[in-house]
Amino acid sequence: MSESSVNFVAGLIESELVSKPNKIVQTRFPPEPNGYLHIGHAKSICLNFGLAKSFDGHCNLRFDDTNPTKEDTEYVDSIMDDVRWLGWQWHGEVRFASDYFEQMYNWAVELITKGKAYVDDLTGEEISEYRGNLTQAGKESPYRDRSVDENLDLFARMRAGEFKNGEKVLRAKIDMASPNMNLRDPLMYRILHEKHHRTGSTWCIYPMYDWAHGLEDAIEGVTHSICTLEFENHRPLYDWFLDTLESVPCHPQQIEFARLNLGYTVMSKRKLLQLVTEHHVDNWNDPRLPTISGLRRRGYPATAIRDFCERIGVTKYNSTTEIALLEHCVRENLNKSALRVMGVLDPVKLVVTNYPDGLTEELEAINNPENPDDGTRLIPFSKELWIERDDFREEASRKYHRLKPGQEVRLRYGYIVTCTGCLKDDDGIITEVHCTYDPETKGGHTPDGRRIKGTIHWVSAAHALDAEIRLYDSLFTDEDPADESDGRSFLDKINPESKTIIMGKIEPSLASAQAETAYQFERLAYFCADSEDSTSEKLVFNRTATLRDSWAKTQKK
RNA sequence: UACCCCAUGGUGUAAUGGUAACACUACAGAUUUUGAUUCUGUCAUUCCAGGUUCGAGUCCUGGUGGGGUAACCA
């Protein structure tokens, strides 16, 4: 890595490499398979995989599956999918903490033998009482001074299944008076007669996070064990286990960074799970969710997400990033890559009164002005078109550059037309807008060089396809939905208009749109076909992000 | 009220004792067959008080403010 100060972790590694130039950087991304990955995980993924890449090292994907009550292979599969989709390749095979259970057990025996761990018979409630609290020291368990032999015997019988859930635990013997609660004889194993998604019923004792994690890292030769801030207080324990054990292969360095917070969304697994299970959203991949699969279904490109993760930086400061930055990354990417098409979301008929009945012309349109290689396509033009209801006004100020009686407007790639009026129904609702066209302006050109201020999009009524359009807005109305200090739950802050479904008219070239292809409906927004629901019989499009709209902004003033 | 961590424009980050900078946002203008894009410009920053130093955003001390920690979760 050449540039310094990419982030503080990279800086740390860089300075280590000065004295140990041959050190191979080994990182890991260690999710628990108990939920779907979200954009906060993407930050961690990009950090760990990115560090390995820039220092020519390796990054493992390891499932920290030490709690069979919460984990499932469904999550394992989705996580692998998401990491790959984000564009990363893990080193070697996927790893599982559960593959290391036997080794961990042996190390626990080593600790017991050293007199550094003991089997405790206290109940959960008693253990909690004995632990003391933030300002008061804990007290030692009456079982703390059992003999090594007795502990060895009891621990073997725990493994053999002789005891019920909660009857006994294995604890490290450290310091019940430590000001760091994590050091007050932390639990290493609990009894759980529970089927594990990989080991089945082989085990009925399962290691706790603090005991297991450093061992997993050591087994994999991890050099830098990067985790989030809330594990800062766990580092002394992480180090204690690794220092106390003599037979561990190495001692990785734990480094903490601040997790990502994003405005107007929630990032906690618990809350995301609740949104899904209580059906406040449709599923884990609901396009309104900050899950990787949700963003993907919404149409956010993986490169945009990676770009975002790079831009937000890595620090120990607990911050909240504005959603505007993510949207900026998405728009910047999509502006370069999305194919331009025309679609009308709120259609009203435009009749070109002096255009021949029954005639259809094929007009050439540019697929992506940002990328000439994408070429052009032909779009049908005829006497009756659909245009956006908002693109006509009976009366409007000089600043309104669209259709109003007497004003000229360009139909994109079509003709220059002059608005002549409109038809209304009994309720005063406009049913048709009328105009005449200038045959000299085919393609939207003005041979006489006259300037046309407004250009609007359209689709030929006879050729248009119907499509369901799903418009998404932020899922929450509050910037920090998780802040429930005002007495309202995050569920009370769900935006009732986060999803709006309408029927639109779109150009025929979209008939075979694939979910992976990004489109810009010109003047409106970026869209993609929905990966689950869109078929050739029934097209469904998701709005990925709107185009910026300075007109709407000035309107509001 | 114990321990740990953190503090730079509105937001996110950079500056590794030597001219406080970049991006996003907002605003203004130019260009434009997307009121998009692009381009230009404007506003705005070191939590406070001491100390060390020729020189402090950076080091030290004390304060203030924020976050974390008392699961047989990770």
Side-chain angles (χ1 to χ4, degrees), chain A residues 272-287:
Chain A
L272 290 172
L273 181 67
Q274 194 178 349
L275 287 169
V276 173
T277 55
E278 293 178 7
H279 303 294
H280 297 105
V281 296
D282 300 327
N283 207 338
W284 282 104
N285 65 351
D286 188 299

Side-chain angles (χ1 to χ4, degrees), chain A residues 6 15 61 132 136 138 155 171 208 232 270 287-288 313 424 430 434 458 497 499 551 554:
Chain A
V6 175
S15 53
L61 173 62
Q136 279 183 326
F155 187 48
R171 303 178 72 174
M208 302 288 290
E232 234 157 5
R270 202 208 99 233
R288 293 167 291 180
K424 293 187 205 173
I430 294 163
H434 288 180
W458 54 274
E497 288 163 15
K499 180 182 183 182
W551 168 249
T554 56

Side-chain angles (χ1 to χ4, degrees), chain A residues 125-239:
Chain A
E125 209 169 298
E126 288 166 331
I127 287 176
S128 174
E129 279 170 32
Y130 276 60
R131 190 151 31 221
N133 59 39
L134 295 176
T135 51
Q136 279 183 326
K139 56 181 182 187
E140 297 181 353
S141 164
Y143 303 98
R144 197 175 197 262
D145 291 317
R146 289 217 250 234
S147 72
V148 169
D149 285 343
E150 189 185 0
N151 280 320
L152 250 17
D153 174 61
L154 255 15
F155 187 48
R157 290 164 59 193
M158 280 171 63
R159 175 180 182 169
E162 288 188 27
F163 308 109
K164 293 196 283 287
N165 288 0
E167 215 174 309
K168 288 185 165 41
V169 292
L170 184 72
R171 303 178 72 174
K173 192 188 286 189
I174 308 180
D175 178 8
M176 288 306 292
S178 172
N180 183 340
M181 300 290 293
N182 296 117
L183 263 21
R184 321 249 263 225
D185 288 11
L187 273 58
M188 294 166 60
Y189 280 94
R190 77 285 215 190
I191 298 171
L192 246 29
H193 291 276
E194 199 83 39
K195 200 166 155 64
H196 185 277
H197 71 108
R198 297 192 77 246
T199 61
S201 47
T202 306
W203 294 88
C204 64
I205 57 171
Y206 290 91
M208 302 288 290
Y209 170 87
D210 286 311
W211 164 243
H213 205 85
L215 302 180
E216 297 161 20
D217 287 336
I219 289 168
E220 295 177 14
V222 166
T223 52
H224 305 273
S225 177
I226 299 164
C227 62
T228 45
L229 251 29
E230 67 270 28
F231 292 105
E232 234 157 5
N233 295 331
H234 295 240
R235 185 165 11 111
L237 179 55
Y238 183 98
D239 290 331

Side-chain angles (χ1 to χ4, degrees), chain A residues 251-284:
Chain A
H251 187 146
Q253 179 188 3
Q254 178 179 306
I255 302 166
E256 309 86 12
F257 74 99
R259 63 155 25 102
L260 170 67
N261 297 296
L262 251 193
Y264 294 94
T265 192
V266 293
M267 219 70 98
S268 103
K269 276 189 176 182
R270 202 208 99 233
K271 289 191 171 67
L272 290 172
L273 181 67
Q274 194 178 349
L275 287 169
V276 173
T277 55
E278 293 178 7
H279 303 294
H280 297 105
V281 296
D282 300 327
N283 207 338
W284 282 104

